[in-house]
Amino acid sequence: MAAPKQIKYTQLPATEYTQHTLGQMSGFVIETDQIQMRPLHLERDAPLLWEVYKNHTEIFKYFPGGSHSSYESFYAEQEKFCKSTDFFNWTVYVAAPVKEEDKGERKWVLCGSICLLDIVLRFRRFEIGSIWFHPSAQGTFVMVETSYALLRFCFEKLQAGRVQWKTHHENIASQKAAKKLGFRDEGLFKKHMIHADGTWRHTYFYAMTDDEWFGRAEETKDGRGGLEVVPGDESGEVEGRLEGKQGLQWRLEGVVEGRKREGKALPEGIARGEPLN
């Protein structure tokens, strides 16, 4: 079995991000060899996200609040999220292939956003959601690898006991993604939400626990202390608190690599390091 994918965690100064919902864990940039997740800085990132968002509002069909027709409305929602006590947002970048003329410097192209929500630190409970990517990145490895990196962060850094995933009853793509990532189907909650257009949403719940992630017997008591950073080397790379090789992490390692082999190639714009719009 190959070694786990390296995740690089970089702690930012408090002035470099807007949300502080995760306490001392709020300021982490999460990075693999091809994905970088940067904690949202409202004034800096909202205009950049809007440039990707505004031309593709159709991908927000299943979001409870619908899509936004103006930057003011979009900004107001991002601001509301930043003030929330149970929400945390990362801006997602994908790496363009390094070319000789780049002189070894990697170009990161903004392609979307991913969040933790329904955060309850004292219960070690989190939800991955409010995910959106530029259409050109859909069907590639981007969603799988970003979700994988965030799951690693949840279980290795935040010491999560439970991570869940919720989706609209008609959002087949999201349901398939949850299963591909290894989430366990917990059933359909009828009339769980009312969307902005007044329609009822039935919601599928999916979840995984730390026991499933690490491949160990179920623990009935949490004997851990407060949220602590897993020690890493000087570069910030961490191999992870691996308990064995039977858990969901090891399965997902294979899914990520398989998706890279089978998924469509990244669009030419990303390959050239150009902004998406």
Side-chain angles (χ1 to χ4, degrees), residues 97-136:
V98 178
K99 301 176 182 178
E100 186 176 345
E101 57 266 28
D102 296 331
K103 298 181 179 179
E105 292 188 14
R106 173 155 286 186
K107 293 181 180 179
W108 295 97
V109 180
L110 189 153
C111 66
S113 176
I114 192 168
C115 306
L116 287 181
L117 51 154
D118 192 24
I119 296 169
V120 185
L121 291 177
R122 68 190 184 99
F123 292 153
R124 305 188 188 278
R125 186 178 75 219
F126 307 88
E127 177 182 330
I128 295 178
S130 292
I131 304 168
W132 60 270
F133 293 113
H134 189 278
S136 66

Short mmCIF file of all heavy atoms in Angstrom, two decimals, residues 97-136:
data_model
loop_
_atom_site.label_atom_id
_atom_site.label_comp_id
_atom_site.label_asym_id
_atom_site.label_seq_id
_atom_site.Cartn_x
_atom_site.Cartn_y
_atom_site.Cartn_z
N PRO A 97 -0.46 23.04 -14.74
CA PRO A 97 0.82 22.33 -14.91
C PRO A 97 1.98 23.31 -14.99
O PRO A 97 1.89 24.35 -15.66
CB PRO A 97 0.63 21.59 -16.24
CG PRO A 97 -0.86 21.46 -16.40
CD PRO A 97 -1.44 22.70 -15.79
N VAL A 98 3.05 23.00 -14.28
CA VAL A 98 4.23 23.88 -14.29
C VAL A 98 4.98 23.70 -15.61
O VAL A 98 5.31 22.59 -16.02
CB VAL A 98 5.16 23.56 -13.10
CG1 VAL A 98 6.41 24.43 -13.16
CG2 VAL A 98 4.43 23.77 -11.79
N LYS A 99 5.23 24.82 -16.27
CA LYS A 99 5.95 24.79 -17.54
C LYS A 99 7.35 25.38 -17.36
O LYS A 99 7.62 26.08 -16.37
CB LYS A 99 5.18 25.58 -18.60
CG LYS A 99 3.77 25.03 -18.84
CD LYS A 99 3.00 25.90 -19.82
CE LYS A 99 1.59 25.35 -19.99
NZ LYS A 99 0.77 26.20 -20.91
N GLU A 100 8.20 25.11 -18.29
CA GLU A 100 9.59 25.57 -18.18
C GLU A 100 9.67 27.08 -18.03
O GLU A 100 10.46 27.59 -17.24
CB GLU A 100 10.37 25.12 -19.42
CG GLU A 100 11.85 25.43 -19.33
CD GLU A 100 12.62 24.89 -20.51
OE1 GLU A 100 12.06 24.03 -21.24
OE2 GLU A 100 13.77 25.32 -20.71
N GLU A 101 8.79 27.80 -18.75
CA GLU A 101 8.84 29.26 -18.69
C GLU A 101 8.35 29.81 -17.34
O GLU A 101 8.56 30.98 -17.03
CB GLU A 101 8.03 29.88 -19.83
CG GLU A 101 6.58 29.47 -19.87
CD GLU A 101 6.33 28.28 -20.79
OE1 GLU A 101 7.28 27.47 -20.96
OE2 GLU A 101 5.23 28.17 -21.32
N ASP A 102 7.68 28.95 -16.54
CA ASP A 102 7.20 29.39 -15.24
C ASP A 102 8.33 29.46 -14.20
O ASP A 102 8.13 29.97 -13.10
CB ASP A 102 6.11 28.45 -14.72
CG ASP A 102 4.87 28.45 -15.60
OD1 ASP A 102 4.61 29.49 -16.22
OD2 ASP A 102 4.19 27.42 -15.67
N LYS A 103 9.47 28.88 -14.56
CA LYS A 103 10.64 28.88 -13.67
C LYS A 103 10.31 28.26 -12.32
O LYS A 103 10.74 28.74 -11.26
CB LYS A 103 11.18 30.29 -13.49
CG LYS A 103 11.66 30.93 -14.79
CD LYS A 103 12.20 32.33 -14.57
CE LYS A 103 12.69 32.93 -15.89
NZ LYS A 103 13.20 34.31 -15.73
N GLY A 104 9.52 27.19 -12.36
CA GLY A 104 9.21 26.45 -11.15
C GLY A 104 8.11 27.03 -10.30
O GLY A 104 7.73 26.45 -9.29
N GLU A 105 7.57 28.19 -10.68
CA GLU A 105 6.51 28.81 -9.90
C GLU A 105 5.15 28.28 -10.34
O GLU A 105 4.82 28.33 -11.52
CB GLU A 105 6.55 30.34 -10.05
CG GLU A 105 7.76 30.98 -9.42
CD GLU A 105 7.67 32.50 -9.43
OE1 GLU A 105 6.57 33.01 -9.69
OE2 GLU A 105 8.70 33.15 -9.18
N ARG A 106 4.39 27.83 -9.39
CA ARG A 106 3.09 27.23 -9.69
C ARG A 106 2.02 28.31 -9.80
O ARG A 106 1.98 29.25 -8.99
CB ARG A 106 2.72 26.24 -8.59
CG ARG A 106 1.34 25.68 -8.67
CD ARG A 106 1.25 24.34 -7.99
NE ARG A 106 1.89 23.31 -8.80
CZ ARG A 106 1.86 22.02 -8.50
NH1 ARG A 106 1.24 21.60 -7.41
NH2 ARG A 106 2.45 21.14 -9.27
N LYS A 107 1.15 28.18 -10.81
CA LYS A 107 0.02 29.09 -10.96
C LYS A 107 -1.24 28.41 -10.44
O LYS A 107 -1.57 27.30 -10.86
CB LYS A 107 -0.16 29.47 -12.44
CG LYS A 107 0.97 30.31 -13.01
CD LYS A 107 0.69 30.67 -14.46
CE LYS A 107 1.82 31.52 -15.03
NZ LYS A 107 1.57 31.85 -16.47
N TRP A 108 -1.93 29.10 -9.54
CA TRP A 108 -3.15 28.56 -8.96
C TRP A 108 -4.34 29.31 -9.56
O TRP A 108 -4.40 30.52 -9.53
CB TRP A 108 -3.15 28.73 -7.44
CG TRP A 108 -2.09 27.92 -6.75
CD1 TRP A 108 -0.85 28.34 -6.35
CD2 TRP A 108 -2.16 26.53 -6.41
NE1 TRP A 108 -0.17 27.32 -5.77
CE2 TRP A 108 -0.94 26.20 -5.78
CE3 TRP A 108 -3.14 25.55 -6.57
CZ2 TRP A 108 -0.68 24.90 -5.31
CZ3 TRP A 108 -2.89 24.27 -6.09
CH2 TRP A 108 -1.67 23.96 -5.48
N VAL A 109 -5.32 28.54 -10.08
CA VAL A 109 -6.49 29.11 -10.74
C VAL A 109 -7.72 28.90 -9.87
O VAL A 109 -8.05 27.77 -9.51
CB VAL A 109 -6.72 28.45 -12.12
CG1 VAL A 109 -7.94 29.06 -12.81
CG2 VAL A 109 -5.47 28.59 -12.99
N LEU A 110 -8.40 29.99 -9.51
CA LEU A 110 -9.59 29.89 -8.68
C LEU A 110 -10.69 29.15 -9.45
O LEU A 110 -11.00 29.51 -10.58
CB LEU A 110 -10.07 31.29 -8.28
CG LEU A 110 -11.19 31.37 -7.23
CD1 LEU A 110 -11.08 32.69 -6.48
CD2 LEU A 110 -12.58 31.27 -7.86
N CYS A 111 -11.27 28.12 -8.83
CA CYS A 111 -12.30 27.35 -9.54
C CYS A 111 -13.57 27.16 -8.74
O CYS A 111 -14.54 26.58 -9.26
CB CYS A 111 -11.75 26.00 -9.98
SG CYS A 111 -11.32 24.89 -8.63
N GLY A 112 -13.64 27.63 -7.47
CA GLY A 112 -14.89 27.47 -6.74
C GLY A 112 -14.73 27.62 -5.24
O GLY A 112 -13.80 28.29 -4.77
N SER A 113 -15.62 26.95 -4.51
CA SER A 113 -15.69 27.14 -3.06
C SER A 113 -16.20 25.86 -2.40
O SER A 113 -16.98 25.11 -2.99
CB SER A 113 -16.63 28.31 -2.75
OG SER A 113 -16.82 28.48 -1.38
N ILE A 114 -15.74 25.61 -1.18
CA ILE A 114 -16.23 24.49 -0.39
C ILE A 114 -16.29 24.93 1.07
O ILE A 114 -15.49 25.77 1.50
CB ILE A 114 -15.33 23.25 -0.56
CG1 ILE A 114 -16.00 22.00 0.02
CG2 ILE A 114 -13.95 23.47 0.05
CD1 ILE A 114 -15.29 20.71 -0.36
N CYS A 115 -17.24 24.39 1.82
CA CYS A 115 -17.48 24.88 3.18
C CYS A 115 -17.66 23.75 4.18
O CYS A 115 -18.03 22.63 3.82
CB CYS A 115 -18.76 25.74 3.21
SG CYS A 115 -18.77 27.09 2.02
N LEU A 116 -17.41 24.09 5.43
CA LEU A 116 -17.91 23.30 6.55
C LEU A 116 -19.08 24.06 7.13
O LEU A 116 -19.02 25.28 7.30
CB LEU A 116 -16.83 23.11 7.62
CG LEU A 116 -15.68 22.15 7.30
CD1 LEU A 116 -14.73 22.06 8.48
CD2 LEU A 116 -16.19 20.77 6.92
N LEU A 117 -20.15 23.36 7.43
CA LEU A 117 -21.31 23.98 8.05
C LEU A 117 -21.87 23.04 9.11
O LEU A 117 -21.35 21.94 9.32
CB LEU A 117 -22.38 24.33 7.01
CG LEU A 117 -22.85 23.26 6.03
CD1 LEU A 117 -24.28 23.58 5.57
CD2 LEU A 117 -21.95 23.23 4.81
N ASP A 118 -22.90 23.49 9.80
CA ASP A 118 -23.45 22.74 10.94
C ASP A 118 -22.32 22.34 11.88
O ASP A 118 -22.24 21.20 12.36
CB ASP A 118 -24.23 21.51 10.46
CG ASP A 118 -25.06 20.88 11.58
OD1 ASP A 118 -25.40 21.61 12.53
OD2 ASP A 118 -25.36 19.68 11.51
N ILE A 119 -21.43 23.28 12.16
CA ILE A 119 -20.26 23.02 12.99
C ILE A 119 -20.65 23.06 14.47
O ILE A 119 -21.20 24.06 14.95
CB ILE A 119 -19.17 24.07 12.72
CG1 ILE A 119 -18.68 23.98 11.28
CG2 ILE A 119 -18.00 23.91 13.69
CD1 ILE A 119 -17.80 25.14 10.84
N VAL A 120 -20.40 21.97 15.16
CA VAL A 120 -20.59 21.94 16.62
C VAL A 120 -19.30 21.38 17.21
O VAL A 120 -19.11 20.15 17.28
CB VAL A 120 -21.80 21.07 17.02
CG1 VAL A 120 -22.02 21.17 18.54
CG2 VAL A 120 -23.05 21.50 16.28
N LEU A 121 -18.40 22.26 17.61
CA LEU A 121 -17.08 21.83 18.05
C LEU A 121 -17.15 20.91 19.26
O LEU A 121 -16.41 19.92 19.34
CB LEU A 121 -16.22 23.06 18.38
CG LEU A 121 -15.80 23.93 17.18
CD1 LEU A 121 -15.01 25.15 17.67
CD2 LEU A 121 -14.98 23.15 16.18
N ARG A 122 -18.04 21.19 20.20
CA ARG A 122 -18.05 20.39 21.43
C ARG A 122 -18.52 18.97 21.18
O ARG A 122 -18.23 18.07 21.96
CB ARG A 122 -18.89 21.06 22.52
CG ARG A 122 -20.38 21.12 22.26
CD ARG A 122 -21.07 22.02 23.27
NE ARG A 122 -22.51 22.05 23.13
CZ ARG A 122 -23.34 21.32 23.87
NH1 ARG A 122 -22.86 20.54 24.82
NH2 ARG A 122 -24.65 21.40 23.68
N PHE A 123 -19.26 18.77 20.07
CA PHE A 123 -19.68 17.42 19.70
C PHE A 123 -18.81 16.83 18.60
O PHE A 123 -19.08 15.74 18.12
CB PHE A 123 -21.14 17.42 19.24
CG PHE A 123 -22.14 17.73 20.32
CD1 PHE A 123 -23.36 18.29 20.00
CD2 PHE A 123 -21.85 17.47 21.66
CE1 PHE A 123 -24.29 18.59 21.00
CE2 PHE A 123 -22.77 17.76 22.66
CZ PHE A 123 -23.99 18.33 22.32
N ARG A 124 -17.79 17.60 18.15
CA ARG A 124 -16.89 17.16 17.08
C ARG A 124 -17.67 16.78 15.82
O ARG A 124 -17.39 15.78 15.17
CB ARG A 124 -16.01 15.99 17.54
CG ARG A 124 -15.23 16.27 18.82
CD ARG A 124 -14.25 15.15 19.12
NE ARG A 124 -13.64 15.30 20.43
CZ ARG A 124 -12.60 16.08 20.70
NH1 ARG A 124 -12.06 16.79 19.75
NH2 ARG A 124 -12.10 16.15 21.92
N ARG A 125 -18.66 17.62 15.50
CA ARG A 125 -19.54 17.34 14.36
C ARG A 125 -19.40 18.44 13.31
O ARG A 125 -19.42 19.63 13.63
CB ARG A 125 -20.99 17.26 14.82
CG ARG A 125 -21.96 16.82 13.72
CD ARG A 125 -23.37 16.71 14.23
NE ARG A 125 -24.00 18.01 14.41
CZ ARG A 125 -24.81 18.34 15.42
NH1 ARG A 125 -25.07 17.47 16.37
NH2 ARG A 125 -25.33 19.54 15.48
N PHE A 126 -19.29 18.01 12.05
CA PHE A 126 -19.12 18.93 10.93
C PHE A 126 -19.89 18.40 9.72
O PHE A 126 -20.22 17.23 9.64
CB PHE A 126 -17.63 19.06 10.55
CG PHE A 126 -16.75 19.41 11.71
CD1 PHE A 126 -16.20 18.41 12.51
CD2 PHE A 126 -16.47 20.73 12.01
CE1 PHE A 126 -15.39 18.73 13.59
CE2 PHE A 126 -15.66 21.06 13.09
CZ PHE A 126 -15.12 20.06 13.88
N GLU A 127 -20.15 19.30 8.79
CA GLU A 127 -20.79 18.92 7.53
C GLU A 127 -20.03 19.56 6.37
O GLU A 127 -19.70 20.75 6.42
CB GLU A 127 -22.24 19.38 7.50
CG GLU A 127 -22.96 19.08 6.19
CD GLU A 127 -24.38 19.59 6.17
OE1 GLU A 127 -25.03 19.64 7.24
OE2 GLU A 127 -24.86 19.96 5.07
N ILE A 128 -19.76 18.78 5.34
CA ILE A 128 -19.18 19.32 4.12
C ILE A 128 -20.32 19.68 3.18
O ILE A 128 -21.19 18.85 2.90
CB ILE A 128 -18.25 18.29 3.44
CG1 ILE A 128 -17.04 18.02 4.34
CG2 ILE A 128 -17.80 18.78 2.07
CD1 ILE A 128 -16.09 16.98 3.80
N GLY A 129 -20.35 20.94 2.71
CA GLY A 129 -21.45 21.36 1.87
C GLY A 129 -21.21 22.70 1.21
O GLY A 129 -20.09 23.23 1.24
N SER A 130 -22.28 23.27 0.63
CA SER A 130 -22.19 24.52 -0.13
C SER A 130 -21.03 24.47 -1.10
O SER A 130 -20.22 25.40 -1.20
CB SER A 130 -22.07 25.72 0.82
OG SER A 130 -23.26 25.92 1.53
N ILE A 131 -20.93 23.36 -1.82
CA ILE A 131 -19.83 23.13 -2.75
C ILE A 131 -20.23 23.60 -4.14
O ILE A 131 -21.32 23.27 -4.62
CB ILE A 131 -19.47 21.63 -2.82
CG1 ILE A 131 -19.15 21.09 -1.43
CG2 ILE A 131 -18.30 21.40 -3.77
CD1 ILE A 131 -19.07 19.57 -1.38
N TRP A 132 -19.40 24.37 -4.77
CA TRP A 132 -19.62 24.70 -6.18
C TRP A 132 -18.30 24.92 -6.89
O TRP A 132 -17.36 25.46 -6.33
CB TRP A 132 -20.55 25.91 -6.35
CG TRP A 132 -20.08 27.20 -5.74
CD1 TRP A 132 -20.32 27.66 -4.47
CD2 TRP A 132 -19.30 28.23 -6.38
NE1 TRP A 132 -19.74 28.89 -4.28
CE2 TRP A 132 -19.10 29.27 -5.44
CE3 TRP A 132 -18.76 28.37 -7.66
CZ2 TRP A 132 -18.40 30.42 -5.74
CZ3 TRP A 132 -18.05 29.51 -7.96
CH2 TRP A 132 -17.87 30.53 -7.00
N PHE A 133 -18.26 24.42 -8.14
CA PHE A 133 -17.08 24.56 -8.97
C PHE A 133 -17.48 25.05 -10.35
O PHE A 133 -18.58 24.78 -10.83
CB PHE A 133 -16.35 23.23 -9.11
CG PHE A 133 -15.73 22.73 -7.83
CD1 PHE A 133 -16.21 21.59 -7.21
CD2 PHE A 133 -14.68 23.41 -7.24
CE1 PHE A 133 -15.65 21.13 -6.03
CE2 PHE A 133 -14.12 22.97 -6.06
CZ PHE A 133 -14.60 21.83 -5.45
N HIS A 134 -16.56 25.76 -10.99
CA HIS A 134 -16.76 26.17 -12.37
C HIS A 134 -17.10 24.93 -13.21
O HIS A 134 -16.50 23.87 -13.01
CB HIS A 134 -15.48 26.83 -12.88
CG HIS A 134 -15.62 27.48 -14.22
ND1 HIS A 134 -15.53 26.76 -15.39
CD2 HIS A 134 -15.83 28.78 -14.58
CE1 HIS A 134 -15.68 27.57 -16.42
NE2 HIS A 134 -15.87 28.81 -15.95
N PRO A 135 -18.06 25.02 -14.14
CA PRO A 135 -18.45 23.85 -14.93
C PRO A 135 -17.29 23.13 -15.60
O PRO A 135 -17.31 21.91 -15.75
CB PRO A 135 -19.42 24.45 -15.96
CG PRO A 135 -20.01 25.63 -15.28
CD PRO A 135 -18.89 26.20 -14.45
N SER A 136 -16.26 23.86 -16.00
CA SER A 136 -15.14 23.22 -16.69
C SER A 136 -14.33 22.30 -15.78
O SER A 136 -13.60 21.43 -16.25
CB SER A 136 -14.21 24.28 -17.29
OG SER A 136 -13.58 25.04 -16.26
#
